[in-house]
Amino acid sequence: MNPSSAELQRTSRGANENAGIWALGNGLVSTTLVSYFAQSLGAQSAAVSWIIAAPKLVGVLRWFAPSLLRLGGSYRATSTWAFLVSTVFLLILPLCAVPELWPSTTLAIWAIVLCWCLYHLAEYCGYVIFVAWLMQMVPPNVRGRFFGLRERWLTAGNLLGFLFAGLLGAVLRNAFELDLRWIAYPMLAIYGALAIAFSVLPLKRIPEPKAIIPADHSFLEDWKHWSGSRARWFLLYGTWFSAANGLFSTLLYVYPYRGLDLSLFLPLTMAASMRLGQSLISRPVGVTIDRFGWRSVMICGQVLIAFGPLLFSFGTAGYIAGNLVWIAYALINVALPIAIVDGRHDRSAAPPLALYFAWTGLVYGLTALAGQSVADYFVVQEYRSEPSAYTTYFLAATLARLSAVVPLVLLPAERNSRT
């Protein structure tokens, strides 16, 4: 499909409005919020690892997302229903805070994990279909600018969500001395679900081409996109980076809660600040990608974000600095969908997107579970209230993330995907 300028403008407007509203809901119900919720109920590091890992593990099922087009019949219907189903599980999440409903807090904690998984699974499937739809509508030579602008809306929505969640928690905790596990956390989950439900309304603006449904949607057929040497190097990067993130993820969420004894307000404020920075640079990043290609942009982003955990080891000030360095995630976030479909000869973007995210999500989930053992090796439970005990762990996390740049550097010459 060769969209007209008017259709491209409508696509951009609808995609950006969807991004801002959806990200607002996503910011209200973040991994930080859910991990604090679980820890307030008594969850230990093992349960936190499952909160981080389990959504990625079930996310491997997003490989079947292109097949959902057979049921939905169109990009709009399929992605809309997937996003709406995800809100159902967010609305169920507050029930985990009802004391009389569960025989034990342990069961309530694992109910949180289950709802968190199912919410992500539906959201992942909707995302794959939605991005495949956008790839149909946006010409390759302007994809960097298009996704850069959309990333700006995503980060702006996240920023507002994080700020509102952090402020609400701080007000309720300090002014009224309320236990957040029964009031603020469930309330934010409900608000987040409603925002995500409203985010499907702007999809009506986007023109819809005929859905491309792969005739032979099988693993071997989808793997053909990754059979070239360049694609394999990129898949190796995704595997490597996902493993590095997963192995050293658990204590990144435990550290502010136990090591620094921070209230929910500061982590969410820093997340908001990070999103603000990403929002400001996303559009220029997209222009840079259109002009120079995505590989150099991703290499710069990978090097910068690797140093975030190292800065964490310098206490609260370092925690703030590390989050600010993670503004560089914008470089990877804007470039990633463009890189995944680079060199795709047919018009169907869904299979490579689905397989890449399913595989890297599985790697992240499995390594995040293994990360519990890594965390215990570097920082034993008895010392997790002492910030200095985390230094070696954060150094190892930095080296693991930094080494993931190697496959990007060794990628063969980039295809000319900007024409």
Side-chain angles (χ1 to χ4, degrees), residues 112-135:
I112 291 174
V113 174
L114 178 61
C115 288
W116 195 231
C117 286
L118 296 176
Y119 155 69
H120 276 90
L121 177 58
E123 184 267 319
Y124 289 154
C125 291
Y127 176 79
V128 167
I129 300 301
F130 185 51
V131 173
W133 179 8
L134 296 180
M135 289 295 181

Side-chain angles (χ1 to χ4, degrees), residues 22 65 68-69 72 74-90 118-130 196-197 199-200 203:
W22 179 88
L68 294 177
L69 282 170
S74 70
Y75 290 119
R76 180 179 290 111
T78 306
S79 54
T80 296
W81 278 109
F83 289 136
L84 290 178
V85 168
S86 73
T87 67
V88 172
F89 295 109
L90 279 187
L118 296 176
Y119 155 69
H120 276 90
L121 177 58
E123 184 267 319
Y124 289 154
C125 291
Y127 176 79
V128 167
I129 300 301
F130 185 51
I196 292 173
S199 74
V200 304
L203 300 187

Side-chain angles (χ1 to χ4, degrees), residues 25 32 69 85 129 131 154 165 193 202 216 245 255 258 271 277 296 322 369 393:
T32 301
L69 282 170
V85 168
I129 300 301
V131 173
L154 281 168
D216 299 307
N245 276 338
Y255 179 64
R258 294 186 58 184
S296 58
L369 292 180
Y393 177 87

Side-chain angles (χ1 to χ4, degrees), residues 231-314:
R232 285 200 301 268
W233 275 107
F234 187 76
L235 190 61
L236 176 61
Y237 157 74
T239 305
W240 196 325
F241 186 35
S242 297
N245 276 338
L247 284 173
F248 294 94
S249 60
T250 301
L251 294 188
L252 295 182
Y253 292 93
V254 173
Y255 179 64
Y257 186 84
R258 294 186 58 184
L260 299 178
D261 192 28
L262 300 177
S263 70
L264 182 63
F265 177 73
L266 183 59
L268 290 182
T269 300
M270 291 317 304
S273 301
M274 179 173 62
R275 295 305 193 279
L276 174 61
Q278 291 173 354
S279 178
L280 294 175
I281 71 172
S282 290
R283 177 68 171 176
V285 167
V287 173
T288 303
I289 291 171
D290 286 338
R291 183 172 299 176
F292 300 106
W294 52 261
R295 183 174 69 158
S296 58
V297 170
M298 291 193 73
I299 289 173
C300 291
Q302 187 65 43
V303 171
L304 289 171
I305 66 175
F307 288 97
L310 183 63
L311 292 170
F312 277 23
S313 61
F314 294 96

